[in-house]
Amino acid sequence: METGLKPKTVITYEGKDVSGDFAPILRGMTFKDFLDGRAGEIEIDLSNREGLFWADWYPDIDDEIHILMGYEGGEMLDAGIFWVDEVSLSGGGAEDACRIRALLLRSSGLGAPVQRRNHAGRAVADIVNEVAETLGCRARGDLSGTWSGIQNETGFRFLNRLACELGRICKVEGTDLIFYPIQQLGQIGQLEIKRGDVIDYDVKDIAAGRLSKCTVKWWDRKSKKQISGTYDARIKGGGEAVRWEEVKSSSEARQKARDYIADRNKSGVEFSLTLLGDVRLRAGVGVRMSGFGRFDDLYYISEATHSDSSSGYTTRVTLQKPPAK
């Protein structure tokens, strides 16, 4: 499956283009793009046969790296700006090596102290913007509505939990935290993948944890009445759940129940497949599969791994089915 195109990687380290310096010693690079709950990461695998990384070339934690991947003369994937999180040197019988791992969020932000705060009926936009600022990020997307609850975790973990409870996704992309409804999964930048385009694949149909019915309840102190709402997705083999969450009406309770089911059922039929490198394949993009019989359907990319090595540029993606309308 040759394309005739030459892979190209541009590495900018602390504001300097080091692509030419790294080219003779670059053994491979991987960029992992996640849709939900994790910051994207890169891993750069370099030869240390000349001992460069024992001295001045040794990377410092929180050094800034900007990555572009793609093909010469073609469109490039802007992976974003990363900060060094881990450096490892190895050697022995094989060639000495240096591996640099960097994250889309600074390790200092991910490892910040746990924040404890009561958010009672606050605007979601205010909550998210405050936390995003502490992470050095900008929040955008669907920040509508209000939320009541207790924050008892670090900022990034809290924003992911908040997004799940609101039926949304929190995706890290560059220095942006993007919020959008789970119901939109599969609708963004739809592409078609035919079986003939696939290098290898795995398909799993996962029943564990599948949820069909959920009831959300709350006790209203003013009216001294219980508010409840139930949503039944009628999913075969799915279980039931009851949750206590603050709501003001039965319709709001039913919507929260529906959002909870959608979040719990993100893992169901799951595709993992490898293709020739394609810069369009990013976490969140919709994909329509063709040539897989009963599994021909619309999916979304929950994880994309772009790898450039001696064997060429490949992209491996994990696909999941969007929640039922």
Side-chain angles (χ1 to χ4, degrees):
M1 301 178 65
E2 295 291 335
T3 65
L5 298 174
K6 184 178 180 181
K8 180 180 179 180
T9 298
V10 179
I11 304 173
T12 304
Y13 196 101
E14 287 288 289
K16 178 185 177 182
D17 186 346
V18 296
S19 307
D21 296 322
F22 277 12
I25 59 174
L26 182 62
R27 306 201 306 184
M29 194 185 72
T30 299
F31 162 50
K32 293 184 178 180
D33 187 25
F34 304 102
L35 179 61
D36 187 18
R38 293 177 65 182
E41 62 183 61
I42 56 167
E43 185 172 289
I44 306 174
D45 185 7
L46 300 151
S47 168
N48 194 29
R49 60 177 176 268
E50 303 296 331
L52 297 171
F53 295 98
W54 290 114
D56 294 342
W57 282 35
Y58 188 83
D60 287 327
I61 298 298
D62 267 358
D63 277 357
E64 182 183 292
I65 305 176
H66 179 238
I67 298 293
L68 295 171
M69 298 181 71
Y71 296 98
E72 288 189 359
E75 184 180 356
M76 299 289 284
L77 182 157
D78 188 342
I81 297 173
F82 300 78
W83 285 270
V84 175
D85 178 69
E86 179 182 308
V87 181
S88 62
L89 300 174
S90 61
E95 183 180 61
D96 288 359
C98 174
R99 290 180 179 84
I100 304 170
R101 179 175 177 263
L103 304 179
L104 270 173
L105 290 178
R106 291 181 186 270
S107 55
S108 54
L110 293 173
V114 170
Q115 299 294 316
R116 294 177 175 86
R117 187 173 180 184
N118 183 5
H119 298 281
R122 296 191 66 205
V124 171
D126 291 342
I127 298 172
V128 172
N129 284 323
E130 285 178 8
V131 177
E133 186 176 355
T134 67
L135 295 171
C137 297
R138 179 187 66 167
R140 60 185 178 91
D142 185 355
L143 305 178
S144 62
T146 60
W147 185 80
S148 295
I150 304 296
Q151 177 183 352
N152 192 29
E153 57 265 272
T154 59
F156 187 53
R157 288 183 181 275
F158 170 63
L159 289 183
N160 276 289
R161 176 168 68 86
L162 177 63
C164 289
E165 291 186 10
L166 294 170
R168 300 170 200 175
I169 291 291
C170 174
K171 182 180 187 297
V172 183
E173 194 166 297
T175 56
D176 287 350
L177 295 175
I178 307 172
F179 286 71
Y180 53 88
I182 291 177
Q183 296 296 330
Q184 289 184 4
L185 292 176
Q187 304 304 313
I188 302 171
Q190 288 188 20
L191 303 171
E192 181 182 13
I193 295 180
K194 299 179 180 179
R195 185 165 179 174
D197 299 329
V198 175
I199 297 173
D200 60 58
Y201 69 89
D202 293 290
V203 182
K204 295 179 182 179
D205 195 353
I206 305 169
R210 192 172 295 180
L211 193 65
S212 178
K213 188 176 182 180
C214 178
T215 298
V216 170
K217 299 180 179 181
W218 187 251
W219 179 257
D220 189 325
R221 294 182 179 179
K222 290 183 179 180
S223 65
K224 296 183 179 180
K225 293 182 179 179
Q226 180 177 285
I227 302 172
S228 67
T230 300
Y231 183 77
D232 189 350
R234 302 185 184 279
I235 296 173
K236 187 176 181 180
E240 296 186 23
V242 176
R243 293 175 57 80
W244 287 86
E245 292 188 44
E246 183 175 351
V247 291
K248 297 178 181 178
S249 65
S250 58
S251 60
E252 183 184 355
R254 186 175 185 274
Q255 183 60 50
K256 283 185 175 288
R258 180 179 181 178
D259 291 341
Y260 183 70
I261 288 175
D263 182 68
R264 276 285 300 272
N265 291 342
K266 284 185 295 186
S267 292
V269 173
E270 182 178 286
F271 259 101
S272 295
L273 50 93
T274 305
L275 307 100
L276 290 174
D278 190 332
V279 300
R280 300 172 300 170
L281 299 176
R282 295 292 303 267
V285 169
V287 171
R288 186 166 294 280
M289 300 302 296
S290 175
F292 289 88
R294 65 178 296 162
F295 295 104
D296 285 354
D297 207 339
L298 180 66
Y299 298 81
Y300 66 90
I301 299 175
S302 62
E303 181 179 329
T305 300
H306 294 262
S307 301
D308 187 3
S309 66
S310 58
S311 58
Y313 174 28
T314 60
T315 305
R316 185 164 182 82
V317 296
T318 298
L319 309 177
Q320 295 178 345
K321 294 192 71 173
K325 298 294 183 182

